[in-house]
Amino acid sequence: MKRLKFLKSLKFRMMILMLLIGILPGVVLRMGLLRIYESKAVSNRSIDILSQAKILGTQIVTYDYLNKPSSDVINAQLDVLSNIYDGRVLLINSSFLIVKDTYNLDVGKAIISEEVVKSFYGEEISKYDSENRYIEMTIPLTNNETKEILGVLLVSVSTDSIVANYDYLKDNALVIEIGCGLAVAAFAVFCSLRLLRPFDRITKFIDAVRTGEGEEALAVADYTETEAISRAFNEMIKRMQVIDQSRQEFVSNVSHELKTPLTSMKVLADSLLGQEEVPEELYKEFMMDIAEEIERENKIINDLLSLVKMDKSAGTLNIDVVNINELLELILKRLKPIAEKQNIELVLESFRPVTAEVDEVKLSLAISNLVENAIKYNTPEGWVHMSLNADHKYFFVRVEDSGIGIPEDSLEHIYERFYRADKSHSREIGGTGLGLAITRGAVLMHRGAIKAHSKVGEGTVFTVRIPLNYTA
């Protein structure tokens, strides 16, 4: 259900995204074009008015209209300019008095504004008031001979026609935009359904696998992405199958390993109970065998507990700064009695002093397992060499022996729980098949690595690499 909800949400998001991609450019384009039209139309209107006003201004100066505002020619041209552009024209003399007003409202009144004052200093002012919809410009009236500014021509022109065209274009552009939006929406729905169809098949397959009705492999090769998802999902399924198989084998091995010593003890006990007047020597021999089986059972249980602790405390190492040289010396000292029983020579070679941030207990257990295995699976009068080295980032522990070696086809399985390369020999020396699994778990918890090289009859080399500084 969660996957279906996610897929529906993905479809919805995809449709929204496609709508935005399709509609937003249209909105931006419409607004941009309308703004460009308005700016261009106002600019063209301003240029036309300015050109006409300059021509008229020259004639006003020529006819000395500011002093004699009775010229029919100038009056006619002022009225034409006002009517053509639907505006108002004012003539202002050097005393800031209105000499001529095409609206005949303010003749004889004084007008002092920022634009008029600037024009008396020779500036041509033009401004557009978008709220009140008019263009206003002031043009200085200059005597060409003396360069004296005699007055100012103020023209105020309505932009209603521009606004009307603007609104017309805006309405038509909106209709086109809505039409395009609907087309884009339909296309978005179609594409989202079409493009996400392979993901529907993936979702159905996952649900089928969850209920146990799925096929063996997922194959959706419509897109590169779905092909990659299919490949990754199939690999995940295979890993899960391997993990499940390993779990079943582990449970089976645990049952077998725990049952074997119990079976031996029961056989020995039944043998004792089935005989009358058992000789003391035979009784002691049977009891020693039972004690050995109990010790074997105890070792298996302890190793299993160690594995469980490793799994549970994967993120809770007790990190401390430890002298690795002293730790390795202590490990060899503990295992020396076992080596002496088989006349195995133990040698530690340290190339430099090493201190590192490690969990002393877990690392000690890991290295002890390697050395103990090297002793147990060795040959009489053999040797075990352990060396310690380090660089700026890691320290390296190398455990090499002169033992029986490990077959090449078994090297990739030696870290599996209860795996034994030589089961018969392992039984003789009491191996549980859990030591290397414990070692590898401890090394990985320290963000380290472990490698093994071996040849049958020539011995085995284990190399452990651990960071000097632990990073969680």
Side-chain angles (χ1 to χ4, degrees), residues 205 209 216 232-242:
F205 180 86
V209 170
E216 292 185 358
F233 183 80
N234 290 332
E235 290 175 358
M236 182 188 69
I237 290 294
K238 289 179 181 177
R239 286 198 296 269
M240 290 176 62
Q241 291 173 345
V242 170

Side-chain angles (χ1 to χ4, degrees), residues 157-170:
V157 177
S158 171
T159 59
D160 286 343
S161 59
I162 295 175
V163 173
N165 290 333
Y166 177 89
D167 292 338
Y168 175 78
L169 291 175
K170 181 179 179 181

Side-chain angles (χ1 to χ4, degrees), residues 59-75 78 91 93 99-100:
Q59 293 178 342
I60 289 171
V61 173
T62 301
Y63 280 88
D64 194 20
Y65 187 83
L66 291 173
N67 295 318
K68 301 173 183 180
S70 59
S71 172
D72 293 336
V73 174
I74 300 300
N75 286 331
L78 289 171
L91 276 176
N93 63 18
V99 175
K100 175 66 176 180

